[in-house]
Amino acid sequence: MSDRKKVSLPTLFTKVAKSEPITWLTCYDYPTAYFQEQAGIDMILVGDSLGMTMLGYDSTLPVTMNDMIRHTQAVRRGAPNAFLIGDMPYMSYQASNETAVLNAGRFMAEAGCDAIKLEGGREMAPRIAAIAAAGIPAFGHLGLTPQSASALGGFRLQGKSALQAQKIIEDAKILEEAGAIGVLLELVPDRVCQLITERAEDCIIMSLGSGPDAHGQLLIYHDLFGLYPKFTPRMAKVYGNAGEVIQNGLIQYVQEVQNKQFPEPKNYFGMKDAEYDELKKLLG
Ligand code: KIV
């Protein structure tokens, strides 16, 4: 699996054409990127969710471009072949097209990304167009957009009413026409996701908690393995409780050191008698 070919945009669009679901996970560090690459993941998102999952903030807003670049570089080292998407952090693109292009360029040049992602609907179409015009593939993000969670009334389903759904469906088309290579739909009703996917012509539609009828699925890595202690959202499926394994291992380590059960002889190295005697002479 590790010597697989690089996943490129044509690889992804071929999957769409063949109705083969695209796999996508978030990732923030080298060892996890290595495991994801070995598992054959198609796309990796270094999400600004790292502010919560890795840095312990209550939201994604404090995350900086430098935080994102540092983590994305580590992920690229672990996963050289996955299609790598850098998530534009809060205020790295909202202010102007120029800021957006410069920060998107940093992701490509300094972290080896294949594309970037930014949040927002029609109001962000000029940013997508400017980034695409600079030759940088851009992904949109609609529905629940965590950087605007406060304005959206919290982390909740978006597009429940026909009017709200119509706006999201229009926004997806506007982003596609602005040049987005794809749009992530986070927490919108399954039928809204299906309608957007059916209407997409040259745009990869991905679902995060928005049902099966997209071109592929995204989940937050920490939610798959019980690694985020504060909560696990309903949309996530837990594939194993690594958090519990780690916690139990840590408790055992603390107890074994306290009880002098660790280290055992197999965990350390000795010294030849002759060298030890010589050492004692040297030390007087
Ligand atoms: O930052 C992130 O991980 C994201 C997901 C919530 C889609 O943007």
Coordinates of all heavy atoms in Angstrom, one line a residue, residues 11 57 66 69 93 108 116-117 122 130 140 144 157 163 165-166 185 192 195 200 216 225 243 245 253 255 263:
T11 N -7.0 11.5 -10.4 CA -7.4 10.3 -9.7 C -8.8 10.5 -9.1 O -9.6 9.6 -9.2 CB -6.4 10.0 -8.6 OG1 -5.1 10.3 -9.0 CG2 -6.5 8.5 -8.2
Y57 N -7.9 24.1 22.6 CA -8.7 25.3 22.6 C -10.2 24.8 22.6 O -10.5 23.7 22.2 CB -8.5 26.1 21.4 CG -7.1 26.7 21.3 CD1 -6.4 26.6 20.1 CD2 -6.5 27.5 22.3 CE1 -5.1 27.1 19.9 CE2 -5.3 28.0 22.1 CZ -4.6 27.9 21.0 OH -3.3 28.4 20.8
N66 N 0.8 29.7 11.1 CA 2.0 29.0 11.5 C 1.7 27.6 12.1 O 2.4 26.7 11.9 CB 2.9 29.8 12.4 CG 3.6 31.0 11.6 OD1 3.6 30.9 10.4 ND2 4.1 31.9 12.4
I69 N 0.7 25.3 9.2 CA 1.9 24.9 8.4 C 2.7 23.9 9.1 O 3.1 22.9 8.5 CB 2.8 26.2 8.0 CG1 2.0 27.2 7.2 CG2 4.0 25.8 7.3 CD1 1.8 26.9 5.8
Y93 N -8.1 34.3 5.3 CA -8.7 34.6 4.0 C -9.9 35.5 3.9 O -10.2 36.0 2.9 CB -9.1 33.2 3.3 CG -10.1 32.5 4.1 CD1 -11.5 32.5 3.8 CD2 -9.8 31.6 5.2 CE1 -12.5 31.9 4.5 CE2 -10.7 30.9 5.9 CZ -12.1 31.1 5.6 OH -13.0 30.4 6.3
M108 N 0.8 25.7 -0.1 CA 1.4 24.9 -1.2 C 2.9 24.9 -1.1 O 3.5 23.8 -1.3 CB 1.0 25.5 -2.6 CG -0.5 25.7 -2.7 SD -1.5 24.2 -2.7 CE -1.2 23.5 -4.3
I116 N -6.3 23.6 -1.0 CA -6.6 24.2 0.3 C -8.2 24.2 0.5 O -8.9 24.0 -0.5 CB -6.2 25.7 0.4 CG1 -6.7 26.6 -0.7 CG2 -4.6 25.8 0.4 CD1 -8.1 27.2 -0.4
K117 N -8.7 24.4 1.7 CA -10.1 24.5 1.9 C -10.4 25.7 2.7 O -9.7 26.1 3.6 CB -10.6 23.2 2.7 CG -12.1 23.3 3.1 CD -12.5 22.1 3.8 CE -12.3 22.0 5.3 NZ -12.9 23.2 6.1
R122 N -21.6 32.0 -0.9 CA -21.5 32.9 -2.0 C -20.5 34.1 -1.7 O -19.8 34.6 -2.6 CB -22.8 33.4 -2.5 CG -23.6 34.2 -1.5 CD -25.1 34.3 -1.9 NE -25.7 33.0 -1.8 CZ -26.9 32.7 -2.3 NH1 -27.6 33.6 -3.0 NH2 -27.5 31.6 -2.1
A130 N -10.1 33.9 -6.8 CA -8.8 34.4 -6.8 C -7.7 33.3 -6.6 O -6.7 33.3 -7.2 CB -8.7 35.5 -5.7
G140 N -14.4 24.2 -1.2 CA -15.4 25.0 -0.4 C -15.9 24.2 0.8 O -15.6 23.0 0.8
L144 N -22.6 23.4 8.3 CA -22.0 23.9 9.6 C -20.6 24.2 9.3 O -19.8 23.4 9.0 CB -22.1 22.7 10.6 CG -21.3 23.0 11.9 CD1 -21.8 24.3 12.6 CD2 -21.4 21.9 12.8
L157 N -27.3 21.1 13.0 CA -27.7 20.8 11.6 C -28.1 22.1 10.9 O -28.8 22.9 11.5 CB -28.9 19.8 11.6 CG -29.4 19.3 10.3 CD1 -28.4 18.4 9.7 CD2 -30.7 18.6 10.5
L163 N -36.2 26.9 2.7 CA -35.5 28.1 2.3 C -34.0 28.1 2.6 O -33.1 28.5 1.7 CB -36.1 29.3 3.1 CG -37.2 30.1 2.3 CD1 -37.6 31.3 3.2 CD2 -36.7 30.6 1.0
A165 N -32.2 25.4 2.9 CA -31.7 24.4 2.0 C -31.4 24.9 0.6 O -30.4 24.7 0.0 CB -32.6 23.1 1.9
Q166 N -32.4 25.7 0.1 CA -32.2 26.3 -1.2 C -31.0 27.2 -1.2 O -30.2 27.2 -2.2 CB -33.5 27.2 -1.5 CG -33.4 27.8 -2.9 CD -34.4 28.9 -3.1 OE1 -34.9 29.5 -2.2 NE2 -34.8 29.1 -4.4
L185 N -19.8 19.3 2.5 CA -21.1 19.6 3.1 C -21.1 19.0 4.5 O -21.0 17.8 4.7 CB -22.3 19.0 2.4 CG -22.4 19.4 0.9 CD1 -23.5 18.7 0.2 CD2 -22.7 20.9 0.9
V192 N -30.6 17.1 1.1 CA -30.0 18.3 0.5 C -28.6 17.9 -0.1 O -28.3 18.4 -1.2 CB -29.8 19.4 1.6 CG1 -29.0 20.6 1.1 CG2 -31.1 19.8 2.2
L195 N -29.2 16.3 -3.5 CA -29.6 17.2 -4.5 C -28.3 17.9 -5.0 O -28.1 18.1 -6.2 CB -30.6 18.2 -4.0 CG -32.0 17.7 -3.8 CD1 -32.9 18.6 -3.0 CD2 -32.6 17.4 -5.2
A200 N -24.0 18.7 -9.2 CA -22.6 19.0 -9.5 C -22.2 18.5 -10.8 O -22.4 17.4 -11.2 CB -21.7 18.4 -8.4
G216 N -18.1 11.1 -1.6 CA -17.2 10.5 -0.7 C -17.5 11.0 0.7 O -18.4 11.8 1.0
F225 N -11.7 7.1 17.0 CA -10.9 6.3 17.9 C -11.0 6.7 19.4 O -10.2 6.4 20.2 CB -9.4 6.2 17.5 CG -9.3 5.4 16.2 CD1 -8.9 6.1 15.0 CD2 -9.5 4.1 16.1 CE1 -8.8 5.5 13.8 CE2 -9.4 3.4 14.9 CZ -9.0 4.1 13.8
G243 N -8.5 5.8 22.9 CA -8.4 6.6 24.1 C -8.4 5.8 25.3 O -7.6 6.0 26.2
V245 N -7.5 2.5 25.6 CA -6.3 1.8 25.6 C -5.2 2.6 26.1 O -4.4 2.2 27.0 CB -6.0 1.3 24.2 CG1 -4.6 0.6 24.1 CG2 -7.0 0.3 23.7
Y253 N 1.5 2.2 33.7 CA 2.9 2.6 33.7 C 3.1 3.3 35.1 O 4.1 3.1 35.7 CB 3.1 3.6 32.6 CG 4.4 4.3 32.6 CD1 5.6 3.6 32.4 CD2 4.5 5.7 33.0 CE1 6.9 4.3 32.5 CE2 5.7 6.3 33.1 CZ 6.9 5.6 32.8 OH 8.1 6.2 33.0
Q255 N 1.6 3.0 37.9 CA 1.6 2.1 39.0 C 2.9 1.2 39.0 O 3.5 1.0 40.1 CB 0.4 1.1 38.9 CG -0.9 1.8 39.3 CD -2.1 0.9 38.9 OE1 -2.0 -0.1 38.2 NE2 -3.3 1.3 39.4
P263 N 11.7 -0.4 35.5 CA 12.0 -1.3 34.4 C 12.4 -2.7 34.8 O 12.9 -2.9 36.0 CB 13.2 -0.5 33.8 CG 13.9 0.2 34.9 CD 12.8 0.5 35.9

